[in-house]
Amino acid sequence: MAAASEWKAAVSYDPLTGTGHILRGGDLVRFKKDYPVFSLGSGRPLRSAAVRDSGGRLQMPLDTERAIARWFAERDAERASRFSVAAIIIDPGHGGKDSGAIGEFGSGKDRLRVLEKDVSLAIGKDLYARLQAAWPDKRILITRSGDTYPSLDARVDMANDVQLGLNEAIIYVSVHANASFNKSASGFEVWYLNPEYRRTVVDDKKAEGVDKSVLPILNAMLEEEYTTESVFLAKSILGGLKAKIGDASVDRGLRAEEWFVVRNAKMPSVLVEVGFVTNEAEARKLSDPGHLRKLGDGIYNGIIDFVEYFEHRKGL
Ligand SMILES: [Zn+2]
């Protein structure tokens, strides 16, 4: 692996799992010992002779070294044209027949009824308008703009149907409100995909010419990439919310789960829970347009931070 130092790349290898990566700038090559397929960048497969582990010394066949060097050269050329987040999908949770969580309190003039679908729509539409104004060049999409119920499949399909160029990425932000039997639970949190969860992210088109048996391993590699981006996106949004909301609500932090909407989106994706409709004090805030604007503002700032980070670092 003298090649790595020639490339000024860092090699990391875990002898326990036999997996490792070569990182050069933002360009990542993942490999598995004795496995003749490499994952380049966001999961482009490279079929070439495998890396061998001969008593703790990693050896890469010359042909493979050349192929990887060629890819690094390609990446350098691509870098001339800047990476960008070309599309952002905002997904207001629930809608129509599906109210989502419901909070009901008080009586008479103090009576309050808050539906999650209304909270998510108000924030989603606000976000959508702001993002469109900020980035007329990007494709900003919203899964619903009224009190309708697109199925979860339809939402994810909408995201996955967006055509992207070589250096373009798409991000997916789902907005929800929370509920708990514990009436004192309150606060906002941001979820990202649980790295433990296996999903199919390499589609057949992308994997043309690749042995079907290698798809699971490519998927696992690529999935890690999406997760990394999702964690950054989730952290940025949480930071944006914290800055805007301050003490008005509790920061419950980052969470990882297997949400359907997040799981099936082949892109960095997060789910924001903006507060609990089952907590009376918070439900009152969630029915206050001023508070909803602040939440939208916080998520918006988080997205801006992420996009800036992403577009100056590397593409998908
Ligand atoms: Zn929900």
Side-chain angles (χ1 to χ4, degrees), residues 88 90 124-141 297 300 303-304:
I88 301 172
I90 301 299
K125 282 170 77 172
D126 179 34
L127 256 178
Y128 175 68
R130 282 173 202 240
L131 290 169
Q132 274 196 321
W135 284 311
D137 297 345
K138 296 191 193 299
R139 274 163 285 171
I140 313 294
L141 303 171
D297 221 7
Y300 170 81
I303 293 174
I304 297 262

PDB file of all heavy atoms in Angstrom, residues 88 90 124-141 297 300 303-304:
ATOM      1  N   ILE A  88     -34.205  19.806  -2.865  1.00  0.00           N
ATOM      2  CA  ILE A  88     -34.565  19.633  -1.458  1.00  0.00           C
ATOM      3  C   ILE A  88     -36.049  19.285  -1.402  1.00  0.00           C
ATOM      4  O   ILE A  88     -36.873  19.984  -2.002  1.00  0.00           O
ATOM      5  CB  ILE A  88     -34.303  20.918  -0.650  1.00  0.00           C
ATOM      6  CG1 ILE A  88     -32.816  21.301  -0.737  1.00  0.00           C
ATOM      7  CG2 ILE A  88     -34.732  20.746   0.816  1.00  0.00           C
ATOM      8  CD1 ILE A  88     -32.491  22.654  -0.139  1.00  0.00           C
ATOM      9  N   ILE A  90     -39.261  18.821   0.967  1.00  0.00           N
ATOM     10  CA  ILE A  90     -39.852  19.044   2.277  1.00  0.00           C
ATOM     11  C   ILE A  90     -41.113  18.179   2.355  1.00  0.00           C
ATOM     12  O   ILE A  90     -41.957  18.215   1.460  1.00  0.00           O
ATOM     13  CB  ILE A  90     -40.224  20.535   2.461  1.00  0.00           C
ATOM     14  CG1 ILE A  90     -38.979  21.421   2.304  1.00  0.00           C
ATOM     15  CG2 ILE A  90     -40.908  20.769   3.805  1.00  0.00           C
ATOM     16  CD1 ILE A  90     -37.870  21.161   3.304  1.00  0.00           C
ATOM     17  N   GLY A 124     -43.951  23.188   7.092  1.00  0.00           N
ATOM     18  CA  GLY A 124     -43.470  22.719   5.791  1.00  0.00           C
ATOM     19  C   GLY A 124     -43.645  23.766   4.707  1.00  0.00           C
ATOM     20  O   GLY A 124     -42.735  24.026   3.922  1.00  0.00           O
ATOM     21  N   LYS A 125     -44.821  24.417   4.672  1.00  0.00           N
ATOM     22  CA  LYS A 125     -45.075  25.425   3.639  1.00  0.00           C
ATOM     23  C   LYS A 125     -44.179  26.642   3.821  1.00  0.00           C
ATOM     24  O   LYS A 125     -43.696  27.225   2.841  1.00  0.00           O
ATOM     25  CB  LYS A 125     -46.551  25.834   3.651  1.00  0.00           C
ATOM     26  CG  LYS A 125     -47.448  24.804   2.965  1.00  0.00           C
ATOM     27  CD  LYS A 125     -48.919  25.088   3.180  1.00  0.00           C
ATOM     28  CE  LYS A 125     -49.418  26.227   2.308  1.00  0.00           C
ATOM     29  NZ  LYS A 125     -50.897  26.336   2.405  1.00  0.00           N
ATOM     30  N   ASP A 126     -43.967  26.999   5.066  1.00  0.00           N
ATOM     31  CA  ASP A 126     -43.097  28.132   5.379  1.00  0.00           C
ATOM     32  C   ASP A 126     -41.664  27.831   4.900  1.00  0.00           C
ATOM     33  O   ASP A 126     -41.030  28.651   4.228  1.00  0.00           O
ATOM     34  CB  ASP A 126     -43.144  28.352   6.901  1.00  0.00           C
ATOM     35  CG  ASP A 126     -42.251  29.494   7.349  1.00  0.00           C
ATOM     36  OD1 ASP A 126     -42.124  30.477   6.593  1.00  0.00           O
ATOM     37  OD2 ASP A 126     -41.685  29.402   8.452  1.00  0.00           O
ATOM     38  N   LEU A 127     -41.192  26.631   5.232  1.00  0.00           N
ATOM     39  CA  LEU A 127     -39.852  26.201   4.830  1.00  0.00           C
ATOM     40  C   LEU A 127     -39.721  26.210   3.309  1.00  0.00           C
ATOM     41  O   LEU A 127     -38.724  26.684   2.754  1.00  0.00           O
ATOM     42  CB  LEU A 127     -39.649  24.755   5.283  1.00  0.00           C
ATOM     43  CG  LEU A 127     -38.798  24.470   6.497  1.00  0.00           C
ATOM     44  CD1 LEU A 127     -38.800  22.976   6.752  1.00  0.00           C
ATOM     45  CD2 LEU A 127     -37.395  24.979   6.302  1.00  0.00           C
ATOM     46  N   TYR A 128     -40.741  25.651   2.678  1.00  0.00           N
ATOM     47  CA  TYR A 128     -40.767  25.541   1.221  1.00  0.00           C
ATOM     48  C   TYR A 128     -40.629  26.920   0.578  1.00  0.00           C
ATOM     49  O   TYR A 128     -39.803  27.131  -0.318  1.00  0.00           O
ATOM     50  CB  TYR A 128     -42.080  24.874   0.826  1.00  0.00           C
ATOM     51  CG  TYR A 128     -42.363  24.768  -0.644  1.00  0.00           C
ATOM     52  CD1 TYR A 128     -41.601  23.929  -1.452  1.00  0.00           C
ATOM     53  CD2 TYR A 128     -43.408  25.489  -1.220  1.00  0.00           C
ATOM     54  CE1 TYR A 128     -41.875  23.813  -2.806  1.00  0.00           C
ATOM     55  CE2 TYR A 128     -43.688  25.376  -2.570  1.00  0.00           C
ATOM     56  CZ  TYR A 128     -42.920  24.544  -3.359  1.00  0.00           C
ATOM     57  OH  TYR A 128     -43.195  24.436  -4.703  1.00  0.00           O
ATOM     58  N   ALA A 129     -41.411  27.873   1.073  1.00  0.00           N
ATOM     59  CA  ALA A 129     -41.376  29.230   0.504  1.00  0.00           C
ATOM     60  C   ALA A 129     -40.008  29.878   0.734  1.00  0.00           C
ATOM     61  O   ALA A 129     -39.448  30.520  -0.163  1.00  0.00           O
ATOM     62  CB  ALA A 129     -42.481  30.080   1.115  1.00  0.00           C
ATOM     63  N   ARG A 130     -39.473  29.711   1.930  1.00  0.00           N
ATOM     64  CA  ARG A 130     -38.169  30.307   2.218  1.00  0.00           C
ATOM     65  C   ARG A 130     -37.067  29.726   1.346  1.00  0.00           C
ATOM     66  O   ARG A 130     -36.201  30.437   0.856  1.00  0.00           O
ATOM     67  CB  ARG A 130     -37.769  30.032   3.671  1.00  0.00           C
ATOM     68  CG  ARG A 130     -38.452  30.910   4.672  1.00  0.00           C
ATOM     69  CD  ARG A 130     -38.067  30.364   6.028  1.00  0.00           C
ATOM     70  NE  ARG A 130     -39.033  30.762   7.013  1.00  0.00           N
ATOM     71  CZ  ARG A 130     -38.727  31.491   8.083  1.00  0.00           C
ATOM     72  NH1 ARG A 130     -37.490  31.862   8.272  1.00  0.00           N
ATOM     73  NH2 ARG A 130     -39.655  31.815   8.931  1.00  0.00           N
ATOM     74  N   LEU A 131     -37.091  28.399   1.203  1.00  0.00           N
ATOM     75  CA  LEU A 131     -36.044  27.740   0.414  1.00  0.00           C
ATOM     76  C   LEU A 131     -36.143  28.138  -1.054  1.00  0.00           C
ATOM     77  O   LEU A 131     -35.137  28.374  -1.718  1.00  0.00           O
ATOM     78  CB  LEU A 131     -36.133  26.218   0.569  1.00  0.00           C
ATOM     79  CG  LEU A 131     -35.742  25.685   1.957  1.00  0.00           C
ATOM     80  CD1 LEU A 131     -36.127  24.218   2.101  1.00  0.00           C
ATOM     81  CD2 LEU A 131     -34.245  25.870   2.221  1.00  0.00           C
ATOM     82  N   GLN A 132     -37.378  28.266  -1.541  1.00  0.00           N
ATOM     83  CA  GLN A 132     -37.562  28.684  -2.934  1.00  0.00           C
ATOM     84  C   GLN A 132     -37.020  30.084  -3.163  1.00  0.00           C
ATOM     85  O   GLN A 132     -36.391  30.364  -4.170  1.00  0.00           O
ATOM     86  CB  GLN A 132     -39.043  28.657  -3.293  1.00  0.00           C
ATOM     87  CG  GLN A 132     -39.501  27.286  -3.764  1.00  0.00           C
ATOM     88  CD  GLN A 132     -40.840  27.375  -4.472  1.00  0.00           C
ATOM     89  OE1 GLN A 132     -41.704  28.137  -4.050  1.00  0.00           O
ATOM     90  NE2 GLN A 132     -40.993  26.616  -5.534  1.00  0.00           N
ATOM     91  N   ALA A 133     -37.277  30.954  -2.178  1.00  0.00           N
ATOM     92  CA  ALA A 133     -36.801  32.327  -2.306  1.00  0.00           C
ATOM     93  C   ALA A 133     -35.277  32.376  -2.227  1.00  0.00           C
ATOM     94  O   ALA A 133     -34.625  33.133  -2.950  1.00  0.00           O
ATOM     95  CB  ALA A 133     -37.421  33.201  -1.215  1.00  0.00           C
ATOM     96  N   ALA A 134     -34.711  31.557  -1.351  1.00  0.00           N
ATOM     97  CA  ALA A 134     -33.256  31.579  -1.165  1.00  0.00           C
ATOM     98  C   ALA A 134     -32.527  30.976  -2.351  1.00  0.00           C
ATOM     99  O   ALA A 134     -31.445  31.424  -2.713  1.00  0.00           O
ATOM    100  CB  ALA A 134     -32.893  30.808   0.106  1.00  0.00           C
ATOM    101  N   TRP A 135     -33.105  29.933  -2.931  1.00  0.00           N
ATOM    102  CA  TRP A 135     -32.408  29.192  -3.983  1.00  0.00           C
ATOM    103  C   TRP A 135     -33.295  28.973  -5.203  1.00  0.00           C
ATOM    104  O   TRP A 135     -33.746  27.857  -5.470  1.00  0.00           O
ATOM    105  CB  TRP A 135     -31.953  27.833  -3.459  1.00  0.00           C
ATOM    106  CG  TRP A 135     -30.764  27.881  -2.580  1.00  0.00           C
ATOM    107  CD1 TRP A 135     -29.584  28.527  -2.809  1.00  0.00           C
ATOM    108  CD2 TRP A 135     -30.598  27.194  -1.322  1.00  0.00           C
ATOM    109  NE1 TRP A 135     -28.708  28.299  -1.780  1.00  0.00           N
ATOM    110  CE2 TRP A 135     -29.294  27.488  -0.868  1.00  0.00           C
ATOM    111  CE3 TRP A 135     -31.421  26.372  -0.562  1.00  0.00           C
ATOM    112  CZ2 TRP A 135     -28.805  26.992   0.332  1.00  0.00           C
ATOM    113  CZ3 TRP A 135     -30.932  25.879   0.625  1.00  0.00           C
ATOM    114  CH2 TRP A 135     -29.641  26.183   1.067  1.00  0.00           C
ATOM    115  N   PRO A 136     -33.525  30.033  -5.996  1.00  0.00           N
ATOM    116  CA  PRO A 136     -34.362  29.849  -7.189  1.00  0.00           C
ATOM    117  C   PRO A 136     -33.763  28.822  -8.159  1.00  0.00           C
ATOM    118  O   PRO A 136     -34.489  28.265  -8.984  1.00  0.00           O
ATOM    119  CB  PRO A 136     -34.427  31.252  -7.805  1.00  0.00           C
ATOM    120  CG  PRO A 136     -33.375  32.055  -7.121  1.00  0.00           C
ATOM    121  CD  PRO A 136     -33.051  31.402  -5.828  1.00  0.00           C
ATOM    122  N   ASP A 137     -32.471  28.572  -8.066  1.00  0.00           N
ATOM    123  CA  ASP A 137     -31.825  27.634  -8.991  1.00  0.00           C
ATOM    124  C   ASP A 137     -31.965  26.174  -8.575  1.00  0.00           C
ATOM    125  O   ASP A 137     -31.712  25.275  -9.361  1.00  0.00           O
ATOM    126  CB  ASP A 137     -30.318  27.929  -9.097  1.00  0.00           C
ATOM    127  CG  ASP A 137     -30.073  29.298  -9.684  1.00  0.00           C
ATOM    128  OD1 ASP A 137     -31.037  29.859 -10.257  1.00  0.00           O
ATOM    129  OD2 ASP A 137     -28.949  29.803  -9.560  1.00  0.00           O
ATOM    130  N   LYS A 138     -32.321  25.957  -7.317  1.00  0.00           N
ATOM    131  CA  LYS A 138     -32.454  24.568  -6.877  1.00  0.00           C
ATOM    132  C   LYS A 138     -33.898  24.108  -7.046  1.00  0.00           C
ATOM    133  O   LYS A 138     -34.818  24.918  -7.034  1.00  0.00           O
ATOM    134  CB  LYS A 138     -32.052  24.431  -5.400  1.00  0.00           C
ATOM    135  CG  LYS A 138     -30.587  24.751  -5.126  1.00  0.00           C
ATOM    136  CD  LYS A 138     -30.213  24.336  -3.719  1.00  0.00           C
ATOM    137  CE  LYS A 138     -28.878  24.896  -3.277  1.00  0.00           C
ATOM    138  NZ  LYS A 138     -27.726  24.482  -4.093  1.00  0.00           N
ATOM    139  N   ARG A 139     -34.075  22.805  -7.166  1.00  0.00           N
ATOM    140  CA  ARG A 139     -35.428  22.277  -7.215  1.00  0.00           C
ATOM    141  C   ARG A 139     -35.914  22.074  -5.788  1.00  0.00           C
ATOM    142  O   ARG A 139     -35.370  21.236  -5.059  1.00  0.00           O
ATOM    143  CB  ARG A 139     -35.449  20.949  -7.968  1.00  0.00           C
ATOM    144  CG  ARG A 139     -35.593  21.134  -9.475  1.00  0.00           C
ATOM    145  CD  ARG A 139     -35.198  19.892 -10.215  1.00  0.00           C
ATOM    146  NE  ARG A 139     -33.742  19.754 -10.213  1.00  0.00           N
ATOM    147  CZ  ARG A 139     -33.106  18.659 -10.638  1.00  0.00           C
ATOM    148  NH1 ARG A 139     -33.781  17.623 -11.052  1.00  0.00           N
ATOM    149  NH2 ARG A 139     -31.787  18.610 -10.617  1.00  0.00           N
ATOM    150  N   ILE A 140     -36.865  22.879  -5.367  1.00  0.00           N
ATOM    151  CA  ILE A 140     -37.428  22.743  -4.028  1.00  0.00           C
ATOM    152  C   ILE A 140     -38.815  22.116  -4.205  1.00  0.00           C
ATOM    153  O   ILE A 140     -39.643  22.648  -4.928  1.00  0.00           O
ATOM    154  CB  ILE A 140     -37.562  24.114  -3.330  1.00  0.00           C
ATOM    155  CG1 ILE A 140     -36.273  24.952  -3.477  1.00  0.00           C
ATOM    156  CG2 ILE A 140     -37.937  23.932  -1.867  1.00  0.00           C
ATOM    157  CD1 ILE A 140     -35.053  24.413  -2.784  1.00  0.00           C
ATOM    158  N   LEU A 141     -39.028  20.986  -3.553  1.00  0.00           N
ATOM    159  CA  LEU A 141     -40.296  20.273  -3.716  1.00  0.00           C
ATOM    160  C   LEU A 141     -40.956  20.096  -2.362  1.00  0.00           C
ATOM    161  O   LEU A 141     -40.294  20.082  -1.327  1.00  0.00           O
ATOM    162  CB  LEU A 141     -40.062  18.900  -4.340  1.00  0.00           C
ATOM    163  CG  LEU A 141     -39.338  18.880  -5.693  1.00  0.00           C
ATOM    164  CD1 LEU A 141     -38.980  17.458  -6.090  1.00  0.00           C
ATOM    165  CD2 LEU A 141     -40.213  19.517  -6.759  1.00  0.00           C
ATOM    166  N   ASP A 297     -37.849  28.672  10.831  1.00  0.00           N
ATOM    167  CA  ASP A 297     -36.609  29.431  10.729  1.00  0.00           C
ATOM    168  C   ASP A 297     -35.410  28.576  11.145  1.00  0.00           C
ATOM    169  O   ASP A 297     -34.368  28.577  10.497  1.00  0.00           O
ATOM    170  CB  ASP A 297     -36.718  30.618  11.695  1.00  0.00           C
ATOM    171  CG  ASP A 297     -36.155  31.875  11.093  1.00  0.00           C
ATOM    172  OD1 ASP A 297     -35.804  31.855   9.902  1.00  0.00           O
ATOM    173  OD2 ASP A 297     -36.060  32.874  11.839  1.00  0.00           O
ATOM    174  N   TYR A 300     -34.797  25.865   8.628  1.00  0.00           N
ATOM    175  CA  TYR A 300     -34.255  26.527   7.439  1.00  0.00           C
ATOM    176  C   TYR A 300     -32.762  26.829   7.614  1.00  0.00           C
ATOM    177  O   TYR A 300     -31.940  26.498   6.757  1.00  0.00           O
ATOM    178  CB  TYR A 300     -35.040  27.811   7.183  1.00  0.00           C
ATOM    179  CG  TYR A 300     -34.465  28.719   6.134  1.00  0.00           C
ATOM    180  CD1 TYR A 300     -34.684  28.483   4.780  1.00  0.00           C
ATOM    181  CD2 TYR A 300     -33.705  29.830   6.498  1.00  0.00           C
ATOM    182  CE1 TYR A 300     -34.153  29.316   3.821  1.00  0.00           C
ATOM    183  CE2 TYR A 300     -33.165  30.679   5.544  1.00  0.00           C
ATOM    184  CZ  TYR A 300     -33.391  30.413   4.210  1.00  0.00           C
ATOM    185  OH  TYR A 300     -32.864  31.251   3.248  1.00  0.00           O
ATOM    186  N   ILE A 303     -30.739  23.720   7.356  1.00  0.00           N
ATOM    187  CA  ILE A 303     -30.580  23.236   5.974  1.00  0.00           C
ATOM    188  C   ILE A 303     -29.517  24.069   5.252  1.00  0.00           C
ATOM    189  O   ILE A 303     -28.651  23.544   4.560  1.00  0.00           O
ATOM    190  CB  ILE A 303     -31.927  23.275   5.211  1.00  0.00           C
ATOM    191  CG1 ILE A 303     -32.900  22.251   5.825  1.00  0.00           C
ATOM    192  CG2 ILE A 303     -31.723  22.990   3.729  1.00  0.00           C
ATOM    193  CD1 ILE A 303     -34.312  22.292   5.251  1.00  0.00           C
ATOM    194  N   ILE A 304     -29.588  25.397   5.446  1.00  0.00           N
ATOM    195  CA  ILE A 304     -28.594  26.288   4.817  1.00  0.00           C
ATOM    196  C   ILE A 304     -27.178  25.883   5.243  1.00  0.00           C
ATOM    197  O   ILE A 304     -26.279  25.774   4.423  1.00  0.00           O
ATOM    198  CB  ILE A 304     -28.855  27.763   5.244  1.00  0.00           C
ATOM    199  CG1 ILE A 304     -30.220  28.209   4.749  1.00  0.00           C
ATOM    200  CG2 ILE A 304     -27.717  28.665   4.787  1.00  0.00           C
ATOM    201  CD1 ILE A 304     -30.234  28.998   3.491  1.00  0.00           C
TER     202      ILE A 304
END
